[in-house]
């Protein structure tokens, strides 16, 4: 098989952005891509990953978290106190070179992108070459999620299945990860196992979800902050990543729940894939994409999402919404018990990330999409440094974040009700919907409300000396109300030239102030 020498440990495939103080050993230009070994060895000199697609970015971070846990031996709770051991690594200022070399030396054969003997290509299943129809492969346009495939509409670019542009190995690996974490449910390529052929897949573990990552000034800090303490019962020999297992999973057997954090980070895929290399392996010419397990589903659990409770009592991750500003989630990340009817639960990793640094930011990465085929938009947002007001550090200040969020959302909701009421009173056609007014009002209000939120957030007291972090609730309320009023006036201005329109707008304005008071 061509490309048998492409090993992800040393081949440059991970896009990175170097820290301003980083320097190459011999004065040459720093590479724009690195392999896994260099990503870990020089994580202290790398500012952050430079992966363009947010779902690939969050997937790759999970791989790097698992590798970081392995090379630092933070994959088990003992010996000693786990938090102290993590601080010892932090004090060293870099990940241990010895641990990195020992780990990659042990598993080097499992990191080939294409296995020359058809055995264990990284994060793939070589059995698909025999179990799937070679004349009905998925193709590279299906592999790369930003490309149109089959009869689908073009999203980012035009392309042809008959003559596709072949992705580089780097692009293919990142796309491989997107499928493992965000792959859709529904029909896929047929796979025959034990004489039975089926073509139905279950959605990936992060499908529709939004991930929140603590982010430091270097990749080293980001990776350490992204580790959560494992349960004391976890043993690394049981808590295995896919490439560490001696055998591939049985697709005819229902999957088991991951026994620990490393498996939960890397081994929850519901899809099986196999890349087909072109020529020397620097390009990928085809791909098999199908289901990984015929029955059952790996229980959904993740340390980087906000878990919520539905009206039916089901636990589910807060979905990615490209229209929702990240500031509206901030109290659910910083408060121990944030308010809300969905009973949001703070991501597990946020309970201990502040121990690494109180100068961390939050990076939100995800994919606004449906459970099956429909993909809408990537989500990539970040905050300024916010961990200095996490509730454990600032018990008097952190609740003010929740109050600010609640006020901003309150007047956003009131604005929507006001424009809907004004539209209904003005338009005589009951079938006419107020969607245009609602969208314009939201477009005018929410970006300005976000700026107002961060302006007042920066002024909060970080010393715990002032009640409510020094937040002036009355002035904050007036500020958000003023933004709602201005958006309302701008959206409804075109109809106030008529008597009916002016009456409708004036009567509906009361919704901005809480609506009509109910008579006793």
């Amino acid at each position: 098989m061509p490309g048998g020498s492409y090993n992800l440990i040393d081949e440059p495939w991970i896009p990175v952005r170097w820290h301003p103080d980083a320097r190459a050993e011999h004065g040459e230009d720093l590479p724009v891509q690195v392999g896994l070994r260099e990503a870990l060895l020089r994580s202290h000199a790398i500012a952050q990953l430079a992966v363009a697609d947010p779902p690939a970015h969050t997937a790759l971070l999970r791989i790097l978290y698992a590798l970081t846990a392995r090379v630092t031996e933070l994959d088990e709770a003992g010996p000693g106190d786990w938090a102290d051991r993590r601080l010892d690594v932090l004090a060293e200022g870099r990940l241990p070179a010895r641990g990195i070399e020992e780990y990659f030396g042990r598993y080097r054969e499992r990191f080939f992108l294409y296995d020359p003997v058809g055995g264990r290509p990284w994060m793939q299943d070589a059995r698909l070459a025999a179990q799937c129809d070679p004349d009905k492969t998925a193709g590279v346009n299906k592999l790369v999620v930003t490309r149109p495939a089959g009869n689908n509409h073009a999203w980012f670019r035009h392309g042809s299945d008959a003559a596709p542009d072949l992705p580089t190995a780097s692009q293919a690996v990142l796309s491989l990860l997107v499928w493992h974490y965000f792959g859709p449910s529904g029909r896929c390529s047929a796979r025959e196992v034990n004489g039975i052929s089926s073509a139905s897949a279950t959605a990936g573990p992060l499908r529709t979800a939004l991930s929140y990552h603590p982010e430091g000034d270097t990749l080293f800090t980001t990776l350490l902050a992204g580790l959560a303490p494992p349960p004391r019962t976890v043993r690394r020999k049981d808590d295995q990543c896919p490439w560490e297992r001696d055998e591939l999973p049985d697709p005819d057997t229902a999957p088991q729940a991951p026994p620990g954090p490393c498996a939960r980070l890397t081994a929850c895929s519901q899809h099986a894939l196999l890349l087909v290399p072109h020529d020397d392996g620097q390009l990928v010419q085809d791909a098999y994409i199908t289901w990984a397990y015929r029955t059952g589903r790996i229980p959904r659990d993740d340390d980087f999402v906000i878990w919520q409770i539905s009206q039916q009592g089901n636990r589910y991750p807060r979905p990615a919404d490209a229209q929702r500003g990240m500031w509206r989630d901030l109290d659910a990340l910083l408060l121990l018990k944030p308010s809300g009817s969905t009973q949001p639960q703070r991501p597990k990793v946020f309970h201990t990330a502040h121990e690494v640094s109180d100068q961390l930011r939050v990076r939100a990465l995800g994919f606004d999409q449906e459970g099956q085929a429909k993909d809408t938009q990537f989500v990539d947002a970040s905050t300024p440094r916010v961990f200095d007001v996490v509730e454990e550090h600032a018990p008097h200040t952190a609740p003010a974040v929740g109050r600010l969020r609640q006020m901003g959302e309150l007047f956003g909701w009131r604005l929507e009700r006001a424009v809907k009421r004004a539209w209904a009173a003005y338009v005589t056609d009951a079938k006419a919907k107020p969607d245009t007014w609602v969208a314009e009002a939201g477009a005018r209000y929410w970006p300005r409300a976000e700026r107002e939120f961060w302006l007042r957030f920066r002024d909060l007291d970080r010393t715990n000396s002032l009640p409510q972090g020094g937040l002036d609730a009355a002035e904050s309320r007036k500020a958000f109300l003023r933004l709602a009023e201005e958006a309302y006036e701008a959206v409804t201005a075109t109809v106030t030239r008529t008597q009916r329109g002016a009456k409708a707008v004036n009567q509906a304005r009361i919704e901005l102030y809480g609506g009509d008071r109910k008579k006793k």
Side-chain angles (χ1 to χ4, degrees):
M1 179 182 290
S5 62
Y6 196 102
N7 194 290
L8 296 169
I9 295 174
D10 297 310
E11 292 284 350
W13 64 278
I14 302 173
V16 296
R17 184 175 297 113
W18 294 91
H19 192 274
D21 296 334
R23 297 290 183 272
E25 184 176 354
H26 301 293
E28 67 273 15
D29 291 338
L30 292 166
V32 296
Q33 293 183 329
V34 297
L36 286 169
R37 186 199 310 273
E38 189 168 7
L40 297 181
L41 283 173
R42 304 199 64 190
S43 60
H44 59 284
I46 296 172
Q48 57 185 215
L49 302 179
V51 180
D53 297 343
H57 190 159
T58 188
L60 179 56
L61 277 173
R62 284 169 168 80
I63 299 295
L64 294 177
Y65 291 142
L67 292 174
T68 299
R70 287 286 192 252
V71 303
T72 58
E73 297 187 350
L74 291 171
D75 51 351
E76 291 185 352
D81 183 78
W82 185 91
D84 288 343
R85 289 161 51 216
R86 179 168 65 165
L87 290 177
D88 290 341
V89 177
L90 182 67
E92 291 294 325
R94 62 181 62 200
L95 296 178
R98 180 177 178 179
I100 294 170
E101 297 301 337
E102 287 181 351
Y103 183 83
F104 285 137
R106 184 182 311 126
Y107 291 106
R108 177 175 176 78
E109 296 302 314
R110 299 288 176 82
F111 281 90
F112 284 105
L113 184 57
Y114 325 103
D115 194 309
V117 296
R120 294 291 297 276
W122 187 75
M123 296 293 281
Q124 299 166 69
D125 193 332
R127 297 172 298 185
L128 301 188
Q131 295 173 346
C132 297
D133 187 344
D135 295 326
K136 295 181 179 180
T137 56
V140 295
N141 285 348
K142 184 75 170 179
L143 172 70
V144 183
V145 296
T146 54
R147 296 185 181 185
N151 295 322
N152 293 329
H153 293 292
W155 191 16
F156 286 115
R157 50 170 288 170
H158 293 282
S160 168
D161 286 339
D165 293 333
L166 301 185
T168 64
S170 172
Q171 294 169 334
V173 178
L174 294 173
S175 297
L176 174 81
L177 293 178
V178 173
W179 271 94
H180 278 309
Y181 289 88
F182 293 88
S185 62
R187 186 166 182 80
C188 60
S189 296
R191 180 183 187 183
E192 183 177 327
V193 178
N194 295 330
I196 302 175
S197 179
S198 53
S200 181
T202 302
L206 297 183
R207 182 86 186 173
T208 76
L210 186 61
S211 298
Y212 302 86
H213 299 271
E215 187 174 70
D217 290 334
T218 66
L219 181 60
F220 169 70
T221 307
T222 297
L223 294 178
L224 285 183
L227 300 183
R232 290 203 166 272
T233 56
V234 170
R235 296 294 178 265
R236 64 177 60 96
K237 65 181 179 63
D238 303 317
D239 178 29
Q240 293 185 316
C241 300
W243 57 87
E244 297 172 341
R245 296 173 176 172
D246 292 332
E247 302 292 338
L248 291 169
D250 182 355
D252 251 350
T253 302
Q256 301 296 314
C262 287
R264 189 163 60 247
L265 284 166
T266 63
C268 292
S269 177
Q270 299 288 156
H271 292 78
L273 295 93
L274 180 62
L275 303 180
V276 180
H278 175 75
D279 296 337
D280 61 356
Q282 297 300 318
L283 300 174
V284 170
Q285 68 178 13
D286 206 348
Y288 296 87
I289 304 175
T290 186
W291 50 271
Y293 300 96
R294 196 190 302 277
T295 60
R297 175 174 181 163
I298 299 174
R300 250 184 137 176
D301 197 10
D302 193 87
D303 293 344
F304 300 90
V305 303
I306 297 174
W307 290 98
Q308 304 181 146
I309 306 298
S310 69
Q311 292 181 345
Q312 293 74 32
N314 299 319
R315 182 171 177 258
Y316 69 100
R318 180 168 291 182
D321 183 353
Q323 304 301 316
R324 181 183 174 91
M326 189 179 170
W327 62 278
R328 298 170 65 184
D329 294 335
L330 196 60
D331 58 329
L333 300 172
L334 303 183
L335 301 183
L336 290 170
K337 293 184 178 180
S339 61
S341 59
T342 59
Q343 306 173 48
Q345 300 172 8
R346 185 163 64 166
K348 182 180 178 181
V349 71
F350 279 68
H351 288 278
T352 57
H354 62 89
E355 297 171 2
V356 172
S357 172
D358 63 1
Q359 298 298 302
L360 298 170
R361 303 176 294 273
V362 179
R363 186 78 174 266
L365 299 165
F367 208 163
D368 188 338
Q369 56 187 176
E370 293 181 349
Q372 291 189 312
K374 185 178 179 181
D375 296 329
T376 303
Q377 189 172 328
F378 290 149
V379 177
D380 187 346
S382 61
T383 70
R385 294 173 176 174
V386 297
F387 274 76
D388 54 346
V389 296
V390 70
E391 189 167 355
E392 291 89 338
H393 273 325
H396 298 305
T397 301
V401 177
R403 292 200 65 187
L404 268 177
R405 190 271 303 170
Q406 291 167 1
M407 282 188 281
E409 289 197 330
L410 172 65
F411 288 103
W413 294 331
R414 287 183 177 181
L415 171 62
E416 182 175 333
R417 288 199 301 269
V419 295
K420 284 182 176 179
R421 178 172 170 178
W423 176 270
Y426 174 68
V427 177
T428 57
D429 184 0
K431 294 182 179 181
K433 296 182 179 180
D435 295 354
T436 301
W437 272 16
V438 170
E440 184 180 350
R444 289 178 179 274
Y445 174 79
W446 290 113
R448 298 182 67 192
E450 180 173 8
R451 287 194 292 271
E452 187 68 32
F453 175 89
W454 288 119
L455 178 66
R456 294 183 179 275
F457 175 85
R458 286 193 294 269
D459 290 338
L460 293 177
D461 172 64
R462 265 70 170 172
T463 65
N464 278 323
S465 59
L466 298 177
Q468 286 295 312
L471 175 68
D472 190 329
E475 285 302 316
S476 299
R477 182 182 178 88
K478 290 179 182 178
F480 286 115
L481 172 59
R482 183 171 60 254
L483 296 179
E485 290 173 333
E486 291 171 356
Y488 182 76
E489 298 296 339
V491 170
T492 60
T494 56
V495 303
T496 56
R497 299 183 183 91
T498 67
Q499 184 176 3
R500 187 175 81 249
K503 181 180 178 180
V505 170
N506 287 332
Q507 289 181 341
R509 185 181 286 107
I510 195 172
E511 294 292 346
L512 297 176
Y513 311 101
D516 299 305
R517 292 188 178 181
K518 294 182 180 180
K519 295 181 180 180
K520 294 183 180 180

